[in-house]
Amino acid sequence: MMSKQMKYYFIINKWAGARHSAETWQKMHHLLVQNQVEFDSVVTEYPRHAIELAQQFATSHRKGWIIVAFGGDGTLMEVLEGVQRVDATIPLGYIPAGSGNDFARAVGLSRDPYLALQQLIQTTQPTILDVGAYQDRKEPVVHYFSNNVGIGFDASVVYQANQGQKIKLSKWHLESTAYISALLKTLVKQKGFPMSVTIDGKTQQFKNAFLVSITNIKYFGGGVGIAPQARLDDGKLDVVITEKLTLLRFIRLFAKLLKDGSHLAMPDVFFATGREVLVHSFAPEHGQVNGEDLPYQPFDLKVWTVKQSFWFTLQTK
């Protein structure tokens, strides 16, 4: 049964899911009214608007409300950041309506928005989970993410996929093929780069890094199991790094990655977990966080975990 005293504030990104989410929200709005759920809603108007909306609402509504991100992993990240700036004990809900929906996959939320809504309103108590925090060490501002930060190959794939391909393919509901197309392009173009990573004080150097993923969850890229051992309640991040591989070795690695997670045991793959990760790339590279592009630049990041209250029941496989 729905907890009677809870009210829901939906922050809607109508551009999520290659623009399908606006149509989904119209149907969901009708369902909420029909079922006499107490809610309010607002639609984002520009990039990073969800941060402002979540921060403003969290400042003035600390009790009795669930702030719900309605969109993709990028929308969730923005709403998370707005809430974290005010009070991490304010529960955060999520209706996945994006292209990748990796966070929903990781926590056991249905990727069908209507079933996810049922899960949301049937929840009776919050769940405390880890989320990531990161900071450019040249700047004081801290940002937050639910999924992962990537530098190199996966970030270049995200960059390519975000260059309008998802929108073009949305007509046929084939957004995920944007990632496959981008992956093949990037595999040819992406070069290795020098970088260092320090995990809980222990430094490792890489002369020819290719894929660098610092992740809070098991998945990236729309369901690819990059870190199969990742947990959302251990206070640690999983770090997966490969150096530039021959095409044949990359195909072998990718096949293992898609199949069963045994890629972590390959000698070509560096894997470690830790509470604090410092990553320094010495040349400009593409970066991504929660599937959103970071500026093309040399990176000097500090990454760690903090806690956040969520309004769903964690269900992991």
Side-chain angles (χ1 to χ4, degrees):
M1 290 295 292
M2 187 181 67
S3 178
K4 292 290 183 190
Q5 72 271 23
M6 301 315 296
K7 294 172 282 191
Y8 305 87
Y9 181 66
F10 291 88
I11 298 176
I12 300 129
N13 176 6
K14 65 182 178 183
W15 304 104
R19 302 182 182 175
H20 294 306
S21 65
E23 179 188 331
T24 304
W25 172 248
Q26 285 182 346
K27 295 176 185 173
M28 196 163 287
H29 187 280
H30 178 71
L31 278 173
L32 289 162
V33 172
Q34 196 176 46
N35 288 281
Q36 299 182 314
V37 176
E38 197 168 348
F39 73 98
D40 200 351
S41 63
V42 65
V43 177
T44 62
E45 294 174 6
Y46 45 84
R48 298 181 66 78
H49 191 198
I51 299 174
E52 298 169 30
L53 293 168
Q55 185 172 356
Q56 288 164 6
F57 194 84
T59 301
S60 55
H61 300 79
R62 292 184 184 231
K63 299 290 181 189
W65 285 86
I66 312 300
I67 300 178
V68 185
F70 185 99
D73 289 317
T75 310
L76 173 64
M77 177 177 68
E78 290 193 16
V79 175
L80 167 66
E81 179 145 336
V83 172
Q84 279 281 334
R85 287 179 180 181
V86 178
D87 184 351
T89 67
I90 297 170
L92 180 55
Y94 181 42
I95 303 292
S99 302
N101 300 323
D102 281 324
F103 185 77
R105 188 179 276 104
V107 300
L109 267 178
S110 175
R111 294 182 311 276
D112 177 324
Y114 306 104
L115 293 177
L117 177 63
Q118 284 184 16
Q119 288 175 275
L120 178 79
I121 64 176
Q122 287 168 1
T123 299
T124 56
Q125 61 184 23
T127 298
I128 310 301
L129 297 176
D130 298 333
V131 294
Y134 72 96
Q135 182 179 28
D136 184 323
R137 287 196 281 176
K138 299 183 293 294
E139 297 175 6
V141 183
V142 176
H143 299 288
Y144 301 91
F145 64 93
S146 57
N147 296 12
N148 35 60
V149 174
I151 300 168
F153 177 74
D154 75 302
S156 296
V157 171
V158 165
Y159 175 77
Q160 289 285 345
N162 285 348
Q163 296 306 296
Q165 293 186 51
K166 287 195 288 187
I167 303 298
K168 291 175 196 170
L169 291 163
S170 69
K171 195 191 316 186
W172 299 281
H173 293 267
L174 294 171
E175 297 93 324
S176 61
T177 61
Y179 291 106
I180 297 166
S181 167
L183 188 149
L184 295 173
K185 275 188 187 177
T186 307
L187 188 54
V188 176
K189 291 183 176 179
Q190 178 70 33
K191 293 180 168 59
F193 55 94
M195 63 156 288
S196 70
V197 62
T198 303
I199 303 168
D200 292 344
K202 187 175 180 182
T203 300
Q204 188 90 12
Q205 302 283 348
F206 296 87
K207 291 181 181 176
N208 209 21
F210 182 69
L211 179 153
V212 180
S213 183
I214 304 160
T215 186
N216 184 49
I217 64 172
K218 294 180 179 182
Y219 305 105
F220 76 164
V224 178
I226 184 69
Q229 299 169 21
R231 293 172 55 98
L232 281 146
D233 58 2
D234 63 355
K236 293 181 180 179
L237 295 158
D238 286 37
V239 182
V240 181
I241 300 172
T242 73
E243 294 203 82
K244 179 75 174 176
L245 304 172
T246 64
L247 180 60
L248 193 62
R249 290 184 81 81
F250 182 86
I251 290 168
R252 183 165 168 253
L253 183 151
F254 205 72
K256 285 177 175 285
L257 194 154
L258 291 175
K259 184 184 175 187
D260 58 8
S262 60
H263 62 286
L264 294 185
M266 291 178 68
D268 298 316
V269 177
F270 170 85
F271 169 68
T273 64
R275 296 184 180 277
E276 182 184 86
V277 180
L278 308 177
V279 60
H280 186 189
S281 70
F282 302 99
E285 284 300 326
H286 284 293
Q288 67 86 17
V289 56
N290 264 47
E292 300 295 317
D293 297 316
L294 289 171
Y296 183 76
Q297 62 184 327
F299 285 93
D300 189 9
L301 300 179
K302 175 182 172 184
V303 193
W304 67 100
T305 65
V306 295
K307 298 294 182 183
Q308 172 63 45
S309 177
F310 285 94
W311 198 254
F312 53 72
T313 302
L314 180 64
Q315 299 172 31
T316 55
K317 294 174 185 176

